[in-house]
Amino acid sequence: ETDLYHAIIADSLSRVDSIHTTEPYIYFERELYLFGLVYLSSILPGEPQYNPMILVGLTGGIATGKSTVSSSLGKFEEITVVDADLIAREVVEPGQPALNKIVSQFGREVLSADGHLDRKALGDIIFKDPISRLKLNNITHPYIQRRMLWQAFVAFVRGKKYVLLDTPLLFESGKLYPYMHVCVVVYCDEDTQRARLMERNQFSEQEANDRIGSQMPLKVKCKMADFVINNSRSREQTSEQVVEIHEKLLALSRTKG
């Protein structure tokens, strides 16, 4: 059975050149299949004939510094960062199906004059109403996950040691979490988080508290993590933790191989 799985993977990789990377989001079933191959390749016994890549989930809370950590890790050549926040912006550009569904659900008041999504208007709706937030997630997450799965597979083919899936709702959505070999949480204390959010977004204290309160508590996320990066202190201290965790992840990818 194991030999059969190896043969399936080898055959699939031999066909990669025929997959058009400019049209990767047509059939979700294909992305799930390819993503399954990535996961399968890391758990099969025996000598691998393909890249022993691992999948690393990176998450945190709003204004905890997850993007800073993601950017720092992205400088290492051995890995690929798949940024869910970036993809989330791409899938709601004018003309995209997700944006049309958002307008149908929440009304044209969530659009700006030029037809782009008015993030503040939408944010004012969803952060005060868990049901509306769930409806938005149900619209956007399938489109986001399709693109994330495709990018992970491309990294697998390119021989990367691990893929960092940078997603704020890794634990909440539950879709990708079961496939992660390792989960990393970026943490900072709540006072620091609130102060950063107020400065960055020009929020009042109440607005900042509302945004923080709408998310899974950081302490809960930390308990679910394999590694925690404490970003409450200086950039230098955070950078030291990033390098240390990167080395541990590279070592883990070798053991998976």
Side-chain angles (χ1 to χ4, degrees):
E1 186 177 5
T2 297
D3 289 341
L4 175 60
Y5 288 151
H6 283 304
I8 292 172
I9 293 170
D11 179 67
S12 298
L13 294 182
S14 70
R15 299 171 186 270
V16 166
D17 288 341
S18 67
I19 301 175
H20 299 291
T21 57
T22 57
E23 300 177 354
Y25 317 127
I26 299 175
Y27 302 109
F28 196 17
E29 291 78 8
R30 182 179 64 180
E31 277 74 42
L32 288 172
Y33 170 68
L34 296 177
F35 195 67
L37 290 179
V38 176
Y39 183 71
L40 186 62
S41 75
S42 69
I43 61 175
L44 288 176
E47 185 67 26
Q49 299 177 355
Y50 40 80
N51 172 41
M53 189 184 79
I54 63 171
L55 304 168
V56 180
L58 177 72
T59 191
I62 188 170
T64 61
K66 178 177 60 65
S67 296
T68 299
V69 170
S70 178
S71 296
S72 297
L73 285 167
K75 295 176 182 177
F76 295 108
E77 294 182 357
E78 302 97 331
I79 81 165
T80 289
V81 175
V82 178
D83 187 340
D85 285 337
L86 176 61
I87 293 172
R89 290 191 289 272
E90 293 173 350
V91 301
V92 294
E93 287 293 314
Q96 294 294 321
L99 181 60
N100 297 334
K101 292 181 180 180
I102 290 171
V103 173
S104 296
Q105 178 65 56
F106 298 101
R108 296 195 63 82
E109 58 267 27
V110 300
L111 289 179
S112 60
D114 61 2
H116 286 77
L117 181 66
D118 186 331
R119 298 180 181 281
K120 187 178 186 307
L122 182 60
D124 289 341
I125 296 171
I126 66 169
F127 284 109
K128 296 177 181 177
D129 181 4
I131 301 301
S132 294
R133 187 161 62 249
L134 179 62
K135 289 178 179 178
L136 176 65
N137 290 341
N138 287 340
I139 291 171
T140 59
H141 283 186
Y143 295 99
I144 295 169
Q145 288 161 4
R146 290 175 192 181
R147 297 196 181 196
M148 293 183 76
L149 297 180
W150 175 257
Q151 290 181 23
F153 182 73
V154 170
F156 174 60
V157 173
R158 289 175 176 171
K160 298 298 182 177
K161 295 303 181 184
Y162 67 89
V163 166
L164 189 77
L165 293 123
D166 176 355
T167 173
L169 299 178
L170 178 65
F171 298 135
E172 292 91 331
S173 69
K175 298 294 185 181
L176 299 179
Y177 173 53
Y179 292 98
M180 298 301 105
H181 300 100
V182 178
C183 292
V184 180
V185 167
V186 181
Y187 165 86
C188 71
D189 63 80
E190 190 169 327
D191 288 341
T192 301
Q193 183 184 18
R194 184 185 301 106
R196 288 174 177 171
L197 184 56
M198 291 172 64
E199 180 180 0
R200 187 189 73 184
N201 291 41
Q202 298 298 300
F203 282 160
S204 67
E205 184 174 351
Q206 185 59 52
E207 288 174 323
N209 287 335
D210 288 343
R211 296 301 195 274
I212 293 170
S214 71
Q215 298 186 333
M216 179 186 290
L218 274 174
K219 291 182 179 179
V220 175
K221 291 186 177 184
C222 288
K223 290 180 180 178
M224 301 174 70
D226 299 287
F227 299 107
V228 175
I229 294 177
N230 188 340
N231 192 34
S232 301
R233 299 185 288 273
S234 68
R235 282 183 176 269
E236 291 74 18
Q237 289 172 310
T238 298
S239 295
E240 290 174 1
Q241 295 174 76
V242 166
V243 172
E244 180 181 354
I245 285 179
H246 173 64
E247 293 298 330
K248 290 180 178 179
L249 293 173
L250 288 182
L252 182 60
S253 74
R254 290 191 287 268
T255 63
K256 287 292 182 183

